[in-house]
Amino acid sequence: MAAAMKPPGRIPAVLAIAAIGIFSALLLLLHDRWGPVIVVGVGAIMLVAALKTGAAARAERSFAAHEGAMNAMVVAVFLGVFVALGRENFSLLMLCTVLLYGIACLGLNIQLGYCGVMNFAGAAFFGAGSYTAAVLAANTALPHLLILAAGGIVAGVLGSVLLLPLLRTRGHYAALITVAFGVLFRSFLEVNDTLGGPQGLVVPGLNLFGWSFNDPITVGGFKLSFYFNYALLILLLASIAFVMARRLERSWIGMNLDAVRIDEVAASTFGLNVPYLKIMAFVIGNVFAGVAGAVFAMMTGFVSPNDFDFSTSLVLIAIIVLGGIGNPWGILPAAALVIILPEKLQAIQEYRFLLYSLAVVAILLFRPDGLFPRRLRRYFPDRAS
Amino acid sequence: MDIGFLAQFVLSGVMLGVVYAMVAVGFTLYFGVLDVINFSHADVLTAGAFLSLATYLGLTAAGVQMPFAVLALMLVAGLAGMAALGMVIAKFFVLPLRHAPPFITLLMTLMLGTAMREAIRLFYPSGSNPQSFPKLLPKTAYHWGNLLVREDTLILIATGIAVIALVSIFINRTRLGLAIRAVAQDGETARIMGIHFEWIVLLVFALGSALAAIAGVMNGLYYNEVSFSTGLRLGIIGFCAAVVGGLGNMYGAILGGFLFALLQTVAVVAMPAFSAYKDVFAFTAIILLMVIKPTGLIGEATSERV
């Protein structure tokens, strides 16, 4: 295996990231009816070709070998796309939504992908963050940075209510707990009048240290969309969330979580504190979803129960499965596919839930590890595997 | 409180309970033979109701006037269609994933259900709006004080109980039922004994889906309305009922179904001011019950095999 010993170069990963960046920017910039269709068609052919010829695997190996530099490049590409879209409200809003769903999915991925705790109430925790932000921002003078943190804390605390049932039950019984909770949460929002009932609540825009996010920024006489503010903040938050998730995965805790997922009984015979690890994964995941939800509420300026129903939870899970369960890098492309594609292809917008569900069914049947399967843990990151 | 009012609540609670129990029995049957949760069950129910509705519309358009013949044909179409659909789901979507982790099967059937639900919403004419379901049963009402009893309610309750009893007899008293129980107990050993595993699985999926179709038609006849999301709501409740009762146990599922109806009814009776919160109350109670009995009320006795 002499070839495998040679550390992969940077070029495949750089090319892949650049291709994905150009592809997304083109997709978001084209507004006519057929432009996006052509871009998507070409992109799909390229993706299939890359998966078939092994180019995708090569890019992934090279990505893994130069993780730090490549992550930096991803951030740079995002910034580049933001600038390219500088004045386009809607496109920036969509990119922000992709990143926020990405943060929530990173959280769910810690639960499901690392620890194996099923959570079919992702949208409920996202919504808990949103409603916390809505109530606090409208009724208190709390600094907005604290409100974002509060969104995460409330989601975490709300999730803690489920800890006892989750720890006592297993498998399908545990899945029921989260399904029931997700339905219960939405039903509660819908009938509770102080939280706006089915009409929802209006949320004031974000304001950090006097920097009002709802005013457009002007750079050298060039006026940018006010979503640019949010895009920068959300990119920062997403980077922090990603770094945290990766650190967690690579630490001993991450390895213990893997052990719990693969075999709970074996993990506990080796002295791992299984309930403690499950609690940690579950709470951290919900906090991620809550913070993302809080930012989402302040960005869109409006929350309503419809944003947080069972099918939204399923969309979050669909993103994780599409990207490859347990693979944090898979989440962003998957979230982009799930959110941007239906918006840009107006012909299929009406059919988007049908298409998500069929896509997941097809992936589970034919490519059960997702588009970008999680790679084996590398024990010596500085050595070529 | 007046006794008539109370009787009224009991009656509507029993009606709900019968439908929930029928849905829950389907979930528990699938779990029994394959150890999987088939969430598309919920949307099979919707599909069954819509297929019957389409049959009705077709027959009316063709000029058939006899209500009972129409009803019988609707049931036959719904039952046969859903039994076939159930077998297709089992053969092409559930059996291929038999050795995958349980989460994957659950997700697969959830997404399959979503696809079916969306297909109904998009492709049935004006399917995103609730459709009116024909009133085919006699609606004569009787009054005793505050109690109001409609004939259709009685017919539906009797039908539901009869169907559940028939399924129970089928499972417990016939040779095919014995084969189903054998597969549920131990698939490998059942195979060695000469039972065709796959046929039995397909049979169970056909049976469960047919039950869902009956539940869908009953629900439609009772409320005179079906919508693409009818099944999702009933399915989530039926799933809760099956799990709370103890997965794989038919009596547990029936118990769970009636328990859920009881919880909803109690919420309405005891807290009239908060009757909008009846689902919140019922689901909270279900979660609490799971804390007390983590493997259901009539739980699996065996501990986990390692």
Side-chain angles (χ1 to χ4, degrees), chain B residues 14-295:
Chain B
V14 169
M15 179 66 217
L16 285 177
V18 167
V19 174
Y20 296 165
M22 286 173 71
V23 182
V25 166
F27 276 110
T28 220
L29 283 175
Y30 306 138
F31 187 83
V33 288
L34 272 185
D35 282 6
V36 300
I37 293 292
N38 172 19
F39 221 98
S40 62
H41 189 56
D43 300 288
V44 169
L45 185 151
T46 320
F50 270 87
L51 184 58
S52 305
L53 180 61
T55 315
Y56 167 81
L57 294 176
L59 287 173
T60 327
V64 183
Q65 291 297 337
M66 297 158 289
F68 278 99
V70 170
L71 186 58
L73 279 174
M74 282 168 65
L75 271 176
V76 168
L79 282 178
M82 289 315 111
L85 181 62
M87 288 201 267
V88 168
I89 291 173
K91 174 86 187 160
F92 295 106
F93 297 100
V94 178
L95 278 173
L97 295 178
R98 196 143 60 87
H99 301 293
F103 163 74
I104 296 294
T105 321
L106 181 58
L107 188 64
M108 163 66 105
T109 55
L110 266 170
M111 290 300 173
L112 196 62
T114 310
M116 282 160 53
R117 185 162 66 247
E118 284 296 304
I120 291 173
R121 184 173 76 84
L122 293 165
F123 302 128
Y124 192 88
S126 69
S128 40
N129 303 321
Q131 307 286 316
S132 78
F133 206 85
K135 301 179 172 109
L136 291 171
L137 293 175
K139 290 256 171 196
T140 325
Y142 303 101
H143 289 271
W144 287 289
N146 280 322
L147 175 63
L148 178 122
V149 183
R150 287 197 332 226
E151 271 181 5
D152 62 339
T153 314
L154 294 180
I155 295 174
L156 288 175
I157 290 176
T159 316
I161 291 174
V163 167
I164 293 173
L166 274 178
V167 173
S168 165
I169 291 169
F170 173 69
I171 302 271
N172 289 319
R173 293 269 186 277
T174 63
R175 271 179 72 81
L176 265 181
L178 184 65
I180 293 176
R181 279 181 289 142
V183 168
Q185 206 166 52
D186 188 337
E188 286 303 309
T189 314
R191 273 186 179 175
I192 296 168
M193 298 295 175
I195 293 170
H196 199 301
F197 180 80
E198 201 176 311
W199 285 359
I200 292 296
V201 169
L202 294 184
L203 172 75
V204 166
F205 271 73
L207 179 67
S209 305
L211 267 176
I214 300 179
V217 173
M218 279 176 56
N219 189 63
L221 287 172
Y222 186 66
Y223 291 109
N224 299 122
E225 191 180 274
V226 282
S227 86
F228 70 95
S229 59
T230 303
L232 181 64
R233 187 173 174 281
L234 281 176
I236 287 174
I237 292 174
F239 173 55
C240 287
V243 174
V244 160
L247 278 171
N249 186 312
M250 209 180 130
Y251 300 107
I254 298 168
L255 179 69
F258 280 99
L259 180 71
F260 200 94
L262 177 75
L263 285 170
Q264 283 183 323
T265 314
V266 164
V268 175
V269 176
M271 312 177 288
F274 295 99
S275 61
Y277 288 89
K278 68 175 199 287
D279 281 359
V280 176
F281 174 77
F283 281 111
T284 311
I286 293 291
I287 293 179
L288 288 180
L289 263 177
M290 295 308 293
V291 176
I292 302 163
K293 299 282 274 180
T295 54

Side-chain angles (χ1 to χ4, degrees), chain A:
Chain A
M1 296 290 281
M5 295 301 288
K6 199 173 134 259
R10 286 161 202 251
I11 294 147
V14 172
L15 286 179
I17 297 170
I20 293 174
I22 294 168
F23 173 76
S24 327
L26 269 180
L27 187 60
L28 286 167
L29 279 169
L30 291 170
H31 291 297
D32 55 329
R33 192 173 168 80
W34 293 107
V37 179
I38 295 167
V39 173
V40 170
V42 173
I45 293 168
M46 280 170 65
L47 180 66
V48 171
L51 289 174
K52 285 280 173 213
T53 56
R58 270 232 306 283
E60 227 189 305
R61 270 203 303 281
S62 117
F63 199 113
H66 308 280
E67 213 186 297
M70 292 308 143
N71 286 340
M73 181 173 168
V74 171
V75 173
V77 167
F78 260 108
L79 282 174
V81 175
F82 288 162
V83 172
L85 295 172
R87 306 175 73 158
E88 310 225 0
N89 283 336
F90 188 60
S91 303
L92 277 175
L93 173 66
M94 264 191 294
L95 265 187
C96 292
T97 313
V98 166
L99 283 171
L100 286 176
Y101 272 47
I103 296 175
C105 287
L106 277 172
L108 291 188
N109 191 43
I110 293 175
Q111 301 172 342
L112 176 68
Y114 299 168
C115 190
V117 178
M118 288 188 241
N119 184 354
F120 286 100
F125 297 112
F126 195 79
S130 290
Y131 269 85
T132 308
V135 171
L136 286 181
N139 301 320
T140 65
L142 221 58
H144 283 180
L145 202 58
L146 282 184
I147 290 184
L148 298 187
I153 292 168
V154 168
V157 171
L158 197 66
S160 312
V161 174
L162 293 186
L163 285 176
L164 185 63
L166 274 182
L167 291 177
R168 302 245 317 153
T169 53
R170 272 161 195 233
H172 296 104
Y173 296 90
L176 160 81
I177 304 278
T178 56
V179 170
F181 181 75
V183 177
L184 155 96
F185 180 81
R186 199 232 140 130
S187 167
F188 176 80
L189 289 182
E190 214 158 46
V191 294
N192 190 304
D193 290 329
T194 35
L195 291 178
Q199 274 85 39
L201 294 172
V202 174
V203 193
L206 197 60
N207 187 329
L208 288 185
F209 314 113
W211 173 20
S212 169
F213 275 59
N214 282 22
D215 296 334
I217 28 178
T218 319
V219 183
F222 189 75
K223 211 162 115 191
L224 295 167
S225 157
F226 72 93
Y227 282 119
F228 200 83
N229 298 314
Y230 286 103
L232 291 178
L233 172 78
I234 291 168
L235 183 61
L236 177 70
L237 284 178
S239 312
I240 295 172
F242 188 85
V243 169
M244 279 170 67
R246 262 309 273 167
R247 293 276 150 161
L248 188 78
E249 184 188 354
R250 288 176 46 150
S251 68
W252 283 104
I253 300 170
M255 190 175 290
N256 292 349
L257 291 178
D258 280 341
V260 170
R261 182 189 74 243
I262 292 165
D263 194 331
E264 240 176 74
V265 179
S268 66
T269 52
F270 277 89
L272 297 188
N273 189 343
V274 173
Y276 172 76
L277 288 165
K278 279 185 167 180
I279 290 174
M280 179 156 65
F282 193 68
V283 172
I284 293 178
N286 293 338
V287 169
F288 275 38
V291 172
V295 182
F296 183 77
M298 302 192 90
M299 178 180 76
T300 53
F302 175 68
V303 287
S304 83
N306 280 338
D307 294 337
F308 315 114
D309 61 1
F310 190 53
S311 50
T312 315
S313 295
L314 287 185
V315 168
L316 290 176
I317 291 185
I319 291 174
I320 293 180
V321 175
L322 277 174
I325 297 174
N327 180 1
W329 284 288
I331 287 172
L332 272 184
L337 275 181
V338 164
I339 293 162
I340 299 181
L341 270 196
E343 294 289 349
K344 291 310 282 191
L345 302 182
Q346 275 135 29
I348 66 163
Q349 192 169 18
E350 181 70 7
Y351 301 89
R352 65 180 183 282
F353 281 113
L354 182 63
L355 292 173
Y356 296 159
S357 45
L358 288 179
V360 174
V361 167
I363 291 226
L364 289 176
L365 280 180
F366 303 116
R367 208 180 154 86
D369 293 329
L371 288 176
F372 312 100
R374 184 180 186 189
R375 293 165 53 79
L376 271 183
R377 179 182 292 280
R378 298 195 322 150
Y379 291 95
F380 306 102
D382 50 338
R383 220 181 286 173
S385 56

